[in-house]
Amino acid sequence: MAEIGRDIDRAAVLLASGKVVAIPTETVYGLAGNAYDVNGISRIFEVKDRPSFNPLIVHTSSLNKIRNFVKEIPQVARDLAEALWPGPLTLLLQRNEIIPDLVTAGSHLVAVRIPNHPLTLDLLSAIEFPLAAPSANPFGYISPTNAQHVQEQLGDKVPYILDGGPSAIGIESTIIGFDEYGQAEVYRFGGTPLEEIEEIVGPLNMNLNAARKPQAPGMLKSHYAPNTQLLLCDIAATIPRMNANKTGVLSFNKMYEGVPAQNQRTLSITGDLHEAAHELFATMRDLDNMGLQIILAEEVPDTGLGKAINDRLRRAAETRIL
Ligand code: TXA
Ligand code: MG
């Protein structure tokens, strides 16, 4: 089992020697390694069982430090950074040679963010290198939003989990890249609502397939997914066709007739999308551990954080290939 604690110095020493450490962020827990050290990076892929064509996000604590490993920070990126960092936003920038190919899967772009978590910001300020960190879950499974989630799944593979309490946002960062004209475009829905980004850069184009494209066709299984089959559907209409005692319900804000109450979870009884995002992954895990045959889920309103929640629900429901 991994040691769980709040000791930044211990985390820093482990990371400097090429080990991986789980770190808290406001979005989800990350599995961190020294972004300049191929040993640390390789260990991340190994621990997560992650295919090496899937690039990692690099975390650091200031714009000045970012200048050490990118070619330039265009004005639009600077505007976004000043308004929204530290926060659940990742920017794709031109990397320089100091970032190993393994971090970016060979791309000339590196994904960068300054996370908004006090403990992790202290750690990032204390070390000389940035941290590459994917979500700290086995590849394809639900992302962890507290230290215990990491312990349950990767505890035997990581020496240390930095415990920063439950993740405040609960859903991964929004990823923004820039097209050949320098216009911002969306690569992944996430914890920063698009409306907040559009206030700064104007209307956004979508480039959602670029981040998802399975570069080895047939090899990507569903993502953010529980082991129990999850069906995104009209819950009320589907319940009558199910074995009620073996059916779970993951609803936005209400309970349904026809399935025992203990098999049902609402994301936010008041219909608050922030609360729903915060609860999403822990609720999916909870239902996944109940020995059910199927989980019936529904989409939430498609505005603000709702876009990111619906994206995760759709991917959790995708047919498994592996
Ligand atoms: O909130 C988050 O972003 C969390 C925390 C730990 O910071 N991290 C996270 O990492 O969600 P991960 O590995 O689960 O997702 C990283 C995704 C990749 O799957 C890919 O879609 C995109 O970021 N990405 C990373 N580098 C990229 C690049 N160079 N070009 C395009 N997409 C990239
Ligand atoms: Mg992930």
Side-chain angles (χ1 to χ4, degrees):
M1 284 289 104
E3 191 189 330
I4 300 186
R6 297 176 55 83
D7 186 347
I8 288 170
D9 296 334
R10 175 143 167 66
V13 168
L14 286 164
L15 289 161
S17 68
K19 302 282 195 314
V20 295
V21 169
I23 56 166
T25 86
E26 80 283 31
T27 59
V28 301
Y29 273 65
L31 181 66
N34 177 350
Y36 295 158
D37 176 3
V38 175
N39 291 322
I41 306 304
S42 311
R43 186 68 191 137
I44 293 175
F45 284 96
E46 206 174 277
V47 167
K48 268 194 74 115
D49 203 8
R50 177 176 174 117
S52 60
F53 55 76
N54 200 353
L56 307 177
I57 296 174
V58 173
H59 301 68
T60 189
S61 54
S62 73
L63 266 180
N64 263 339
K65 286 187 168 179
I66 291 174
R67 290 180 223 282
N68 294 332
F69 59 86
V70 306
K71 289 204 169 119
E72 55 163 348
I73 309 177
Q75 187 59 46
V76 216
R78 244 182 343 245
D79 293 343
L80 286 169
E82 273 156 23
L84 297 168
W85 276 347
L89 173 72
T90 293
L91 300 177
L92 295 173
L93 301 172
Q94 303 271 350
R95 66 155 168 163
N96 68 27
E97 317 68 51
I98 198 171
I99 297 284
D101 276 346
L102 196 52
V103 170
T104 69
S107 167
H108 61 289
L109 298 175
V110 59
V112 188
R113 89 180 186 98
I114 302 182
N116 189 16
H117 191 290
L119 203 55
T120 291
L121 282 172
D122 283 350
L123 170 64
L124 289 165
S125 304
I127 56 183
E128 295 300 317
F129 47 86
L131 294 176
S135 49
N137 50 282
F139 182 68
Y141 195 66
I142 305 164
S143 304
T145 52
N146 63 43
Q148 201 48 44
H149 292 163
V150 183
Q151 180 72 292
E152 281 159 20
Q153 293 195 294
L154 300 179
D156 55 344
K157 301 196 179 96
V158 303
Y160 196 65
I161 301 172
L162 199 56
D163 187 355
S167 296
I169 306 280
I171 216 156
E172 294 85 349
S173 59
T174 304
I175 303 181
I176 297 291
F178 304 93
D179 69 13
E180 69 255 51
Y181 308 104
Q183 291 274 95
E185 45 183 20
V186 183
Y187 280 66
R188 178 175 76 181
F189 296 127
T192 301
L194 299 193
E195 293 86 340
E196 283 182 28
I197 298 171
E198 290 185 323
E199 268 178 36
I200 297 155
V201 301
L204 285 162
N205 289 325
M206 300 295 142
N207 195 353
L208 297 166
N209 288 327
R212 297 195 57 190
K213 190 169 51 187
Q215 295 176 26
M219 287 202 42
L220 283 182
K221 56 179 176 174
S222 53
H223 237 79
Y224 311 104
N227 295 317
T228 314
Q229 193 193 344
L230 185 140
L231 189 65
L232 205 51
C233 60
D234 176 339
I235 295 176
T238 310
I239 286 175
R241 294 193 277 121
M242 298 290 143
N243 172 355
N245 290 323
K246 284 283 174 190
T247 299
V249 168
L250 177 59
S251 92
F252 176 43
N253 60 358
K254 59 176 182 286
M255 302 290 284
Y256 284 88
E257 302 276 314
V259 163
Q262 73 265 21
N263 294 5
Q264 301 198 41
R265 296 287 182 279
T266 51
L267 291 175
S268 168
I269 206 79
T270 59
D272 174 3
L273 289 169
H274 283 93
E275 184 182 25
H278 184 262
E279 297 300 320
L280 179 68
F281 288 142
T283 307
M284 267 166 55
R285 268 173 198 265
D286 189 21
L287 285 164
D288 198 23
N289 290 331
M290 289 172 59
L292 301 164
Q293 270 166 4
I294 193 160
I295 300 166
L296 306 182
E298 63 189 0
E299 292 191 3
V300 305
D302 206 47
T303 61
L305 287 180
K307 277 200 178 353
I309 297 172
N310 287 334
D311 169 73
R312 303 308 187 272
L313 286 168
R314 284 183 206 125
R315 295 206 217 181
E318 262 167 36
T319 319
R320 266 140 251 218
I321 296 163
L322 283 183

